[in-house]
Amino acid sequence: METVIEVKDLKREYVTRRGVWKREKRVVHAVDGISFEVRRGEIFGLLGQNGAGKTTTIKMLTTLLAPTDGTCKVLGHDTFGEEKHIRTRINFIFGGELGVYRRLSARDNLRYFSNLYLIPKKEQDERIQKILELVDLAERADDLAETYSKGMIQRLQIARGLINDPEILFMDEPTVGLDPVGARMLRDIIRRLKEEGCTVLLTTHNLAEVEELCDRPVIINKGKVIARGTPGEIKGEFGTLEDAYVKLVEGVSA
């Protein structure tokens, strides 16, 4: 299968200063030499604790943050220096309730983002209606987003992320803060996206989500890859993904 994301020895460092006069310099290795590839049409997972480097990695992949070192390519182009060849072909969704305008209806939100992506007006109505049906918001399409539940807001964010028909959809903790019913509905939507040929890369610390959705997760801890493969391969002799994850993290931390 075609490789659409290539990450090799990727690093991202931050310089912080401590002390009363901020004279003590400290280098933080947020991402410390990770490598992986994502194939077209799969659901790929980045699994790790808070602070493991997941969000920093996804920001580099979506051209929002420059790498310190290493290779970071999306759809054959470097994410820093060739952004214009990538941005119209991808989209991203962050967990929580950011990314849509609450004083607009779902339909008007999608129309606004359609205009940002320069989608021809004659195509907008049909595309917007199709996406609203996909995320099960068609019946509430003309209600203000401020009247939506948290789960509906997150589904609207997915709709916003699909408006440019992206080849790759990046999702950072897409089910964070959702109740079980809302989280399951989002997972169903993610599976439908795969069926339609969209490549999905998601970050999560939810083990059940990884096992249910991801074709090939990568576990990262303290900015490093500590395991990779299918969920079954990672579980191995540990029996469950949870046991494998805990043992692997404990082994790195020891």
Side-chain angles (χ1 to χ4, degrees):
M1 295 176 66
E2 179 188 359
T3 296
V4 292
I5 297 175
E6 180 186 356
V7 173
K8 186 175 181 181
D9 299 325
L10 184 63
K11 297 182 180 181
R12 175 65 198 196
E13 299 173 352
Y14 295 96
V15 176
T16 63
R17 295 184 179 274
R18 298 187 297 181
V20 176
W21 304 107
K22 305 293 184 182
R23 290 175 178 172
E24 181 183 350
K25 187 168 73 171
R26 177 173 172 252
V27 178
V28 177
H29 301 279
V31 176
D32 195 10
I34 66 173
S35 299
F36 61 84
E37 293 182 347
V38 179
R39 302 164 188 160
R40 185 177 293 279
E42 72 177 343
I43 301 175
F44 188 90
L46 286 179
L47 172 64
Q49 303 176 87
N50 293 334
K54 305 187 303 297
T55 298
T56 299
T57 299
I58 209 169
K59 284 183 176 180
M60 288 188 282
L61 289 170
T62 55
T63 77
L64 298 177
L65 191 64
T68 302
D69 199 6
T71 299
C72 187
K73 290 189 174 184
V74 173
L75 296 168
H77 299 283
D78 290 323
T79 59
F80 184 67
E82 297 183 318
E83 302 93 329
K84 65 180 181 180
H85 299 294
I86 299 172
R87 287 177 174 168
T88 59
R89 301 170 65 187
I90 66 171
N91 215 319
F92 59 89
I93 299 160
F94 293 107
E97 298 187 16
L98 303 176
V100 297
Y101 293 97
R102 298 175 65 86
R103 295 295 183 92
L104 296 178
S105 68
R107 194 182 307 278
D108 285 342
N109 262 284
L110 297 184
R111 187 170 288 117
Y112 171 75
F113 288 107
S114 295
N115 290 331
L116 290 184
Y117 279 100
L118 303 179
I119 296 170
K121 291 191 179 297
K122 63 180 180 180
E123 298 178 17
Q124 288 185 16
D125 288 345
E126 182 178 353
R127 181 178 299 194
I128 288 170
Q129 186 62 31
K130 179 182 177 181
I131 293 172
L132 287 168
E133 291 172 359
L134 174 67
V135 300
D136 198 24
L137 285 177
E139 293 185 2
R140 297 285 304 277
D142 297 306
D143 295 344
L144 297 183
E146 65 183 2
T147 68
Y148 288 1
S149 67
K150 183 174 289 188
M152 293 172 70
I153 290 286
Q154 192 66 334
R155 276 151 44 207
L156 178 54
Q157 291 211 91
I158 290 180
R160 188 267 302 160
L162 295 174
I163 198 63
N164 64 320
D165 193 19
E167 296 176 52
I168 306 174
L169 183 62
F170 295 89
M171 310 178 80
D172 191 21
E173 305 281 4
T175 59
V176 66
L178 297 184
D179 60 45
V181 174
R184 174 157 295 279
M185 185 173 289
L186 278 183
R187 290 195 291 270
D188 289 342
I189 291 171
I190 292 169
R191 278 191 289 267
R192 274 184 271 164
L193 293 177
K194 178 183 177 178
E195 290 172 1
E196 295 192 1
C198 184
T199 304
V200 178
L201 186 150
L202 64 89
T203 73
T204 183
H205 55 258
N206 186 320
L207 295 168
E209 200 164 82
V210 169
E211 194 153 18
E212 183 177 343
L213 290 176
C214 297
D215 298 303
R216 293 184 307 119
V218 162
I219 300 177
I220 61 176
N221 187 63
K222 297 181 179 179
K224 295 181 178 291
V225 172
I226 60 174
R228 68 179 74 236
T230 66
E233 290 169 344
I234 293 174
K235 283 190 293 186
E237 62 186 28
F238 296 106
T240 68
L241 190 59
E242 180 179 0
D243 287 341
Y245 178 76
V246 171
K247 293 295 183 183
L248 287 164
V249 172
E250 286 179 346
V252 171
S253 301

